[in-house]
Amino acid sequence: MPAYILRRLLLMIPTLFGIILLNFCIVQLAPGGPVEQMIAKLQGMDVSATARFTGGGSDVAGAQGMEGQFSSSGSGSSTGQYRGAQGLDPEFIASLEKQFGFDKPAHERFWLMLKNYIRFDFGESYFQDKRVIDLLLEKMPVSISLGLWTTLLIYLISIPLGIKKAVRDGSAFDVWTSGAIIVGYAIPGFLFAILLIVVFAGGTYLDWFPLRGLVSENWQELSWPARIADYFWHLTLPIAAMVISGFAGLTILTKNSFLEEINKQYVLTARAKGLTESRVLYKHVFRNAMLIVIAGFPAALMGIFLTGALLIETIFSLDGLGLLGYEATLNRDYPVMFGTLYIFTLLGLVIKLVSDIMLTWIDPRIDFQSQGARA
C-alpha cells in the first residue's frame, strides 16, 4: 500500500501539469483579456469585467510590479490587437502590457507560473488589489461550510434511507419515499433556493431567515452560543437547497447497491446459519454494498464545492470560492482563475486518493497495488 500511495502521489504531478497547461492554452485564445478590460474602463465603458470594481486608480496601481504569467491576447504593443485601443498611444498600451506582464512570451509566462505555483505563490489579483492566496483564504470558510455540512447531511439522510428502501423494496414506504426522490431529481437546487427565499426569507410569506452573508454584522459582539446559533441560522436555507438536489442520486445508488448484494448467495448462506437480519445486513451486506457509495464520495464532494455551491452562493450572496472563481473567469482575472483551478484540482486528486485508502480500509480484499496505480 505505501508503494501504491507513492505512485499515486507521483502521478499527481503530470496530471496537475496537464490540466494547468490545457487551460493555459485555452486562455490564450479567449478574447477580452485584462488589457482590453482596463482600456474599456479608462474609456468609461461599462463592461462586466470592470464595472464591478469601483476602486478608481487602484486597479492600475494594483497591477504594478506583477510578474506576467497569463495572457489571452498575446504579447506586443500594437494597438490593433486590442478592441477599443484604436487611437491610443502605443507606448501607453505597452505600459499596460508590462503592468499586467503580457510583455513576455507565452512559454515564459507559463514556466514562471509553474515555478511560483510550486511555492503556492499565485501572485496578486488584477482587479481586487489583493494577493490571490489571501483571497482564497478569505473565501474558503464559506465554501467549506457549505460543502462539508451539505455532504454530511446528504450522506446522513441518503444512506439510511437507501438501506431502508432496499430492505422494504416494493412496500408503501418505498413508494412514498420514491415520490420524494423524484421531486429531488425534478427540482434544481437553485430553483428550490428561490422557493425557500420566497417562502421563508421575506420574499412573500415568512421572514424567518436572513437572505445574505454567512453571519450577522454584529457576530463578533455575540456570545459563543449565540454565534453558533447565528451561523447555522444563516446556513439553513442554502444547505437545505443543496441537500434537496443532492440526496436523491445517492439514495438510489445506495438502494440499488444493497438490493444487488441482498440477493447474493453469501447472504442466503448467512441467513441459513441463523444470523439475525440486522447482523446479516450490517455485518455482511453493508461492507460490500457501501464500496460503490464510498467510491463516489470524491465526485460528490467536489461537485458540491465546484458546481452545486456556485449558484447557491450567488443567490444567497455568500462570498465563497465558487463565486470567486466564476467572477474571476468573467473578469479575466487570470491569477485568481488559475489559482482556484490549481487548488481545486489538487484538492480533487488528494480526495480521490483518500477515497481509495478508505476503500481498502473498509474491505481489505481490495488491493489497488496489484492492479497498478490509477490516474
Side-chain angles (χ1 to χ4, degrees):
M1 192 63 182
Y4 167 75
I5 294 175
L6 179 61
R7 287 199 301 269
R8 286 290 301 274
L9 291 174
L10 292 177
L11 276 174
M12 289 182 186
I13 298 175
T15 303
L16 196 58
F17 175 84
I19 292 174
I20 296 297
L21 176 61
L22 177 62
N23 283 272
F24 182 86
C25 293
I26 293 175
V27 161
Q28 309 309 303
L29 305 176
V35 174
E36 292 181 352
Q37 306 287 2
M38 187 59 67
I39 291 172
K41 181 173 183 179
L42 293 174
Q43 292 182 343
M45 297 173 60
D46 184 17
V47 293
S48 61
T50 55
R52 187 175 179 272
F53 306 101
T54 57
S58 61
D59 294 340
V60 178
Q64 294 177 344
M66 291 185 57
E67 294 183 296
Q69 300 172 1
F70 317 100
S71 174
S72 63
S73 306
S75 59
S77 58
S78 173
T79 59
Q81 71 187 72
Y82 300 114
R83 292 180 301 175
Q86 291 78 7
L88 295 179
D89 187 353
E91 294 185 0
F92 171 72
I93 301 298
S95 66
L96 282 181
E97 289 179 330
K98 186 174 182 180
Q99 288 173 0
F100 287 108
F102 298 157
D103 56 333
K104 298 182 178 66
H107 68 278
E108 289 188 16
R109 294 192 299 273
F110 180 72
W111 290 114
L112 178 60
M113 178 181 70
L114 291 182
K115 179 181 176 181
N116 291 335
Y117 279 19
I118 292 174
R119 299 179 284 111
F120 286 88
D121 179 9
F122 305 118
E124 292 189 10
S125 168
Y126 287 157
F127 300 106
Q128 300 193 49
D129 197 21
K130 289 183 179 180
R131 294 173 64 240
V132 174
I133 190 65
D134 293 335
L135 281 172
L136 294 176
L137 293 175
E138 178 184 329
K139 314 298 183 183
M140 195 171 292
V142 174
S143 295
I144 290 178
S145 295
L146 286 175
L148 290 183
W149 288 116
T150 300
T151 304
L152 178 63
L153 286 176
I154 286 176
Y155 271 75
L156 288 177
I157 294 172
S158 299
I159 292 177
L161 181 59
I163 295 174
K164 191 74 171 179
K165 285 174 64 64
V167 173
R168 303 180 62 179
D169 184 41
S171 66
F173 173 83
D174 183 40
V175 173
W176 284 105
T177 53
S178 294
I181 291 174
I182 292 174
V183 172
Y185 267 125
I187 301 180
F190 72 90
L191 188 60
F192 189 68
I194 295 174
L195 176 63
L196 291 176
I197 290 174
V198 171
V199 177
F200 296 108
T204 302
Y205 300 99
L206 305 174
D207 191 9
W208 289 355
F209 297 96
L211 187 56
R212 62 178 59 248
L214 189 62
V215 293
S216 300
E217 294 182 359
N218 64 336
W219 189 78
Q220 295 290 348
E221 303 172 3
L222 302 176
S223 62
W224 276 110
R227 289 184 182 183
I228 296 174
D230 182 78
Y231 168 74
F232 285 107
W233 181 48
H234 282 76
L235 280 179
T236 299
L237 295 187
I239 290 179
M242 295 176 68
V243 168
I244 194 65
S245 62
F247 88 101
L250 184 59
T251 301
I252 293 299
L253 178 64
T254 304
K255 176 188 175 181
N256 292 338
S257 180
F258 270 79
L259 281 177
E260 182 180 355
E261 293 295 325
I262 287 174
N263 295 322
K264 289 185 176 179
Q265 183 62 42
Y266 75 91
V267 177
L268 299 177
T269 302
R271 287 171 175 166
K273 290 181 178 180
L275 298 179
T276 62
E277 191 65 24
S278 61
R279 185 173 177 82
V280 171
L281 186 63
Y282 293 103
K283 174 73 173 178
H284 298 278
V285 176
F286 184 84
R287 184 177 65 178
N288 296 322
M290 286 301 296
L291 291 178
I292 190 172
V293 177
I294 294 175
F297 176 78
L301 182 60
M302 293 308 297
I304 290 172
F305 270 112
L306 292 176
T307 58
L310 173 59
L311 291 174
I312 300 300
E313 287 179 8
T314 303
I315 292 172
F316 289 97
S317 300
L318 297 171
D319 199 5
L321 290 177
L323 185 58
L324 176 68
Y326 174 71
E327 290 180 341
T329 302
L330 290 182
N331 298 319
R332 304 296 192 268
D333 196 344
Y334 296 144
V336 177
M337 233 174 75
F338 280 91
T340 54
L341 173 66
Y342 182 85
I343 292 296
F344 279 135
T345 303
L346 183 61
L347 182 61
L349 293 172
V350 172
I351 288 178
K352 183 164 179 58
L353 175 58
V354 172
S355 175
D356 287 348
I357 296 174
M358 290 176 61
L359 284 175
T360 60
W361 176 69
I362 292 177
D363 190 348
R365 295 172 299 175
I366 296 178
D367 185 8
F368 289 124
Q369 186 170 347
S370 64
Q371 302 173 16
R374 300 179 304 170

